[in-house]
Each structure stands twice: as C-alpha cells, then as structure tokens.
Amino acid sequence: MNENIDVMRKKVKKYLDKNRYNHTLGVMYTAGALAMRYGTDMDRALTAGLLHDCAKCIPNDKKIRMCKKNHIFISPAEYANPSLLHAKLGAYLAASKYHIGDRSILNAIACHTTGKPEMTLLDKIIYIADYIEPNRAELPNMAEARRLAFEDIDECLYLLLRDSLVYLQSRGLPVDPATEKTYNYYKKYLRKKEEESL
C-alpha cells in the first residue's frame, strides 16, 4: 500500500465510527483483491474503497445542507432517504478534503450506492466490494455473490442490483430511480451478451 493511502486511512478513521471504519477497511482490501483479479490499477481501487463512505457518518440534515451549499443535486429519492447522499457528498469530500483529482476514483465513489448504466471496471469493483466485504452482515445470496465477484463481475453486479431492489421493495423503502435504471441496463446487457455467445 502506498504512503498516501496510509496517510488518508489515518485521516478517514477520525470521521468514522468503529463499525464504519472496519467496514471501510474491508471494502478497501476487497477492492484491492478484485483489482488484482481483473488486472486493473490497485492504488485506484484501494483509494476509492478507503474513501467510499467518508461522508457516511455525517448526520442526514447536515448532508442536505452541505449538498445545497456545494450545489450538489438532490433527487426526490435522496430527499426521502438522505443517507443515499453520502455517495455524492463522499465524492465531493474526496476531492476537496482528501485532494483526489482522479475522476475515475471520484466517479466510483459517487455511484457506489445506486450504480449507473455503463459502469467502468472501477465503478463495478467498488459497488461490489461494498456488498461482499468480509465484515458485511450476511445478505441473501452472499456466498454466490462472493464467488461470482471473482468469476464474472457483470453477473455479480446484476445479482446485487436485483437483490437490492427486492430488499427495498419488500420493506417498502424508497427505490432510487438510478438503481432501477442500472438494474434494467445490466439485465439487457447480460441478455445481449448471452445471445452473442450462442
């Protein structure tokens, strides 16, 4: 791990509670492992994993105030569930407080909660690492998701998006349209990929 990441790790620790910090380390190392598996830049994956939840422990009312102050768009779904804002706000803080200028890292942080159509490999790695890291409470299909993450990243992404929608709908929680859009995009994408391989 490079020295800059270690300096950031110590800084991040001050702003997170113990459980969130443990989760963050789990995401960081899982992202690093996935980067190795898929042959992509490990420092980028470690950095995005480390900073993905840097805004998570900010109280919701403060998240809204900070977004308004810094001209970060708040969707109706985010007003209904302000905890979703930690991704966008986290990307803003990664740039302003942790001096990250790499757009690929900032984009991966910004979309790690809802996903988005046409995600980059780094986007997918952070989204998936957030779900499957070792400290995460057992979610439905966790064993399959952990296996798929290292075998077929798109299949894993689709599985997690589908399970997220099922979970939110079964509990009557608001679904961010971005999650639904991402799910539909990858459903079509995988169907097309399957047809092409026949």
Side-chain angles (χ1 to χ4, degrees):
M1 191 190 312
N2 79 38
E3 204 180 316
N4 286 350
I5 295 172
D6 205 41
V7 169
M8 278 190 283
R9 182 186 59 76
K10 287 170 184 155
K11 190 172 176 181
V12 164
K13 190 177 184 181
K14 295 177 198 166
Y15 297 99
L16 301 178
D17 61 39
K18 192 182 172 200
N19 287 345
R20 186 57 47 186
Y21 179 66
N22 287 338
H23 163 71
T24 290
L25 292 184
V27 173
M28 180 176 81
Y29 290 123
T30 303
L34 287 166
M36 284 191 275
R37 159 63 182 89
Y38 292 101
T40 193
D41 189 288
M42 202 175 3
D43 280 349
R44 279 194 176 115
L46 291 169
T47 302
L50 174 62
L51 297 178
H52 84 286
D53 269 356
C54 66
K56 185 77 175 185
C57 292
I58 296 170
N60 283 340
D61 56 340
K62 192 176 176 185
K63 282 190 189 86
I64 290 172
R65 283 200 309 277
M66 286 174 78
C67 285
K68 284 180 176 174
K69 185 184 170 188
N70 295 292
H71 313 290
I72 298 166
F73 173 73
I74 305 172
S75 71
E78 288 163 340
Y79 270 116
N81 183 7
S83 72
L84 289 170
L85 288 170
H86 81 274
K88 284 180 186 173
L89 191 56
Y92 169 78
L93 292 176
S96 60
K97 197 174 187 169
Y98 296 91
H99 314 294
I100 302 298
D102 186 324
R103 291 300 321 167
S104 65
I105 293 172
L106 300 176
N107 290 337
I109 294 169
C111 74
H112 84 267
T113 305
T114 59
K116 65 179 182 185
E118 297 183 70
M119 290 164 84
T120 66
L121 179 57
L122 183 60
D123 295 341
K124 292 171 189 175
I125 283 172
I126 301 308
Y127 185 93
I128 290 167
D130 188 29
Y131 272 86
I132 69 164
E133 63 94 4
N135 303 301
R136 186 61 105 164
E138 284 296 311
L139 298 166
N141 302 316
M142 185 64 103
E144 190 187 352
R146 284 179 172 147
R147 179 185 60 78
L148 270 177
F150 290 89
E151 288 177 15
D152 187 328
I153 201 163
D154 290 324
E155 285 286 354
C156 180
L157 180 66
Y158 175 69
L159 173 74
L160 294 175
L161 286 161
R162 188 194 70 198
D163 285 356
S164 291
L165 287 174
V166 168
Y167 173 83
L168 292 168
Q169 286 159 352
S170 71
R171 281 163 178 71
L173 295 166
V175 174
D176 192 299
T179 305
E180 219 154 3
K181 205 173 168 184
T182 308
Y183 166 76
N184 289 326
Y185 174 86
Y186 280 98
K187 188 177 183 179
K188 279 184 196 156
Y189 173 81
L190 287 172
R191 197 179 295 144
K192 192 179 171 194
K193 204 167 139 183
E194 204 176 301
E195 285 164 6
E196 283 169 0
S197 69
L198 294 174

